[in-house]
Amino acid sequence: MQKLQAYLKSDILSGLVVFLISVPLCLGIALASGAPLFSGMISGIIGGIVVGSISKSPLSVSGPAAGLTATVLSGISTIGSFEGFLLAGILAGIFQVILGIVKAGTIGYYFPSNVINGMLTAIGIIIILKQLPHLFGYDAESLSDGTLRPNESHITATIEQVLNGIQPGIVITSIVSLLVMVLWDKYKPEKLKLVPGAGLAVLTGVLVNFIFIYTASKGLIIESTHLVNLPIPEDFASFLGQFATPDFSYIVNKDIWILALTIGVVASLETLLTIEATDKIDPEKRFTDSNRELLAQGTGNIISGLIGGIPITSVIVRSSANMNAGAKSKLSTIVHGILLLVGAMLIPAILNYIPLASLAVILVVTGYKLCKPSVFMSFFKMNKYRWFPFIATVVAIVFTDLLVGVAIGMAIAVGAILIGNLKNTYHLHQGQLEGVNMIRIELSQEVSFLNKAALTMTLDRLPNDCTVVIDATKTFYIDFDVLEMIREFEQIKAPTKNIKAVLTGFKEEYDVVNNDHIFYEEIPGLKKNAHKRTGMKATEVITNIKKGNKVNGKINFVN
């Protein structure tokens, strides 16, 4: 009961923080997607209440995602009707439900940790760079693009306008909010540990602006354009009028089906990657059922499309902010959804006092925690096959978009694995016994067709009159083509060069005869009865050859 009460307190507070972050994100993404502003609020509400209730993820938060804005924008333009577009969202949700039923959620497990960490780090960098202008009073840049692709609006014009449009009041608000959040998180009293610094940062921003207003500091007062801007319904009827319904007549339009499939695939992959990433940063290291998550997301998208909302995914920005605010269970995301509903319906005027700069401070701190220098240092300490895919993923996501960047990171990670696999086909040990070359080739745990060339060249280069032991004792898998090559070497190539091939450790299903019971006298070039001088039996000699041990000081294999 005490644990439940602790969860209740922390989840309500963190739900409030995520709600405050979600409001401008829902509106901004809807605007950037070319959809009605209220459709973004609908998505946030459904993502919090519906998806939050069905999902088993304790920390992830769902809602409209920046990664889908380009797809939604082009989709609405192609269909020519927002109501027609809503049908595509419903069909995409049905597709996701089917994926969950057929247990397709495991696809997320095939993404390596360095790519997932690269995704998190890139998102952190993007969050910081996209929110920095808001700290100085430049709020014109939309949230539609989750990248930093070099173009006039994102680099040259943005920097110039930010520098020319710095507003002292907003800068002061940003600094004070940042100090309150950082200092509170570091020095907060034990009795108030459940109070999130992010919530205090928002409250501080509101109070600072009120101080500017009541002290008549005209040069410092934050204008309404730099505050949260929710539409204010006049009555309940006007509130309901903001909802929209899909136009099912577009069901015969092939573009609807293509768009639905695109949204379904993109939303599912983004959700699975976010869930995987969120589980990794969960302090309690809990596990989320990815198939159940696809069912939850699909159900959410179906309902969202039916009442006028844009597509939903699990989003890392709100999920990480949820965790940093102290969330313990999925109650937090449900609370945030309820607050979005109540806020959109009853208190938009109050919410409109919140400075965007204070929200930007929360996001900048969240972004820093995702991409702090220690993350880079931990990967640079690893080998290049670990850190290079990580860096490639970060750079690719920052300068393209989430899915393209992850695809590039995956391609490089797979390439790194293949290169590493090619270089680790086997371990070769060499030595001599009575002046005769002894060679042991210990195969790696997995030998695929990609290793065939390296292994073939090694066997072809073996000197005449030697003994070679091909040891598969530690091998779990050998490709059929490699087995054929080994048989050919033992039966055809080796005899022509007077090489004695000793095969050992091969599984029965490989159909390779293990001939490790070789007579000592059969070793090419070794004088007859030489084993008598060593005082060892033939089987003991060959056993020591296989192990790379010394035979009475006469043999010594070196890696």
Side-chain angles (χ1 to χ4, degrees), residues 343-361:
M345 185 167 52
L346 299 179
I347 55 172
I350 296 176
L351 297 176
N352 288 348
Y353 284 115
I354 300 173
L356 294 178
S358 295
L359 299 177
V361 164

Side-chain angles (χ1 to χ4, degrees), residues 364-385:
V364 167
V365 173
T366 298
Y368 173 77
K369 290 180 179 180
L370 292 174
C371 65
K372 51 189 177 182
S374 60
V375 175
F376 287 89
M377 295 307 298
S378 65
F379 274 95
F380 283 134
K381 292 178 181 178
M382 302 179 185
N383 62 56
K384 60 184 177 182
Y385 299 114

Side-chain angles (χ1 to χ4, degrees), residues 18-164:
V18 178
F19 154 71
L20 294 172
I21 293 173
S22 293
V23 169
L25 292 176
C26 290
L27 295 173
I29 291 170
L31 179 64
S33 301
L37 291 181
F38 192 66
S39 67
M41 293 297 295
I42 294 173
S43 296
I45 293 168
I46 298 300
I49 299 175
V50 176
V51 177
S53 299
I54 301 174
S55 169
K56 293 295 185 180
S57 176
L59 293 179
S60 71
V61 179
S62 297
L68 278 173
T69 52
T71 303
V72 175
L73 182 62
S74 63
I76 294 175
S77 176
T78 300
I79 302 303
S81 164
F82 179 68
E83 289 73 18
F85 169 81
L86 293 177
L87 179 59
I90 295 172
L91 295 175
I94 295 173
F95 175 67
Q96 287 182 294
V97 169
I98 294 173
L99 289 178
I101 293 174
V102 300
K103 309 295 184 184
T106 55
I107 189 175
Y109 302 148
Y110 294 96
F111 290 84
S113 60
N114 49 1
V115 173
I116 294 174
N117 280 287
M119 180 189 76
L120 287 172
T121 302
I123 290 174
I125 293 172
I126 292 172
I127 290 172
I128 293 174
L129 294 179
K130 300 289 276 187
Q131 294 302 316
L132 281 177
H134 298 292
L135 301 181
F136 300 96
Y138 179 70
D139 300 323
E141 183 184 14
S142 77
L143 298 172
S144 63
D145 192 356
T147 74
L148 296 173
R149 282 174 286 191
N151 58 55
E152 183 180 1
S153 64
H154 284 160
I155 297 182
T156 307
T158 300
I159 294 175
E160 182 180 351
Q161 292 175 21
V162 169
L163 293 177
N164 292 335

Side-chain angles (χ1 to χ4, degrees), residues 197-212:
L200 290 180
V202 169
L203 181 59
T204 299
V206 174
L207 292 177
V208 168
N209 193 37
F210 273 132
I211 292 173
F212 293 156

Side-chain angles (χ1 to χ4, degrees), residues 32 61 123 229-230 243 247 316 369 420-421 428 455 476 495:
V61 179
I123 290 174
N229 185 20
L230 273 174
F243 291 86
D247 187 345
I316 191 62
K369 290 180 179 180
N421 192 26
L428 191 145
L455 187 56
F476 299 124

Side-chain angles (χ1 to χ4, degrees), residues 163-414:
L163 293 177
N164 292 335
I166 291 178
Q167 301 189 31
I170 293 178
V171 173
I172 293 173
T173 302
S174 299
I175 294 173
V176 174
S177 296
L178 180 61
L179 287 174
V180 167
M181 184 175 180
V182 172
L183 293 176
W184 180 259
D185 286 343
K186 190 173 183 179
Y187 300 109
K188 60 185 173 184
E190 182 66 23
K191 293 182 179 180
L192 299 176
K193 64 180 181 179
L194 294 179
V195 179
L200 290 180
V202 169
L203 181 59
T204 299
V206 174
L207 292 177
V208 168
N209 193 37
F210 273 132
I211 292 173
F212 293 156
I213 293 173
Y214 287 108
T215 56
S217 303
K218 294 184 179 180
L220 299 177
I221 295 174
I222 301 176
E223 299 176 358
S224 60
T225 54
H226 301 292
L227 303 174
V228 169
N229 185 20
L230 273 174
I232 303 176
E234 297 179 358
D235 50 36
F236 188 67
S238 62
F239 173 74
L240 294 179
Q242 296 180 88
F243 291 86
T245 54
D247 187 345
F248 288 95
S249 66
Y250 282 86
I251 195 73
V252 296
N253 188 333
K254 67 175 183 179
D255 291 332
I256 282 289
W257 292 93
I258 296 173
L259 180 60
L261 183 62
T262 302
I263 293 174
V265 171
V266 173
S268 297
L269 287 176
E270 186 165 347
T271 290
L272 292 174
L273 290 175
T274 299
I275 288 296
E276 179 77 9
T278 303
D279 284 350
K280 284 185 176 296
I281 61 177
D282 180 5
E284 299 183 28
K285 301 302 178 185
R286 289 165 288 188
F287 170 77
T288 299
D289 185 342
S290 55
N291 295 311
R292 178 62 175 260
E293 188 64 29
L294 288 177
L295 286 171
Q297 296 291 333
T299 303
N301 274 319
I302 292 172
I303 297 176
S304 180
L306 285 171
I307 61 176
I310 54 180
I312 296 168
T313 75
S314 179
V315 280
I316 191 62
V317 175
R318 274 155 277 185
S319 298
S320 56
N322 186 39
M323 186 206 69
N324 291 330
K328 301 297 183 181
S329 73
K330 65 177 184 176
L331 176 62
S332 176
T333 188
I334 297 174
V335 168
H336 122 272
I338 294 173
L339 290 175
L340 283 175
L341 175 60
V342 174
M345 185 167 52
L346 299 179
I347 55 172
I350 296 176
L351 297 176
N352 288 348
Y353 284 115
I354 300 173
L356 294 178
S358 295
L359 299 177
V361 164
I362 297 172
L363 293 172
V364 167
V365 173
T366 298
Y368 173 77
K369 290 180 179 180
L370 292 174
C371 65
K372 51 189 177 182
S374 60
V375 175
F376 287 89
M377 295 307 298
S378 65
F379 274 95
F380 283 134
K381 292 178 181 178
M382 302 179 185
N383 62 56
K384 60 184 177 182
Y385 299 114
R386 290 286 297 165
W387 67 256
F388 187 68
F390 166 77
I391 294 297
T393 303
V394 172
V395 174
I397 290 177
V398 167
F399 287 98
T400 58
D401 59 47
L402 179 67
L403 290 177
V404 172
V406 168
I408 292 173
M410 278 294 295
I412 293 176
V414 171

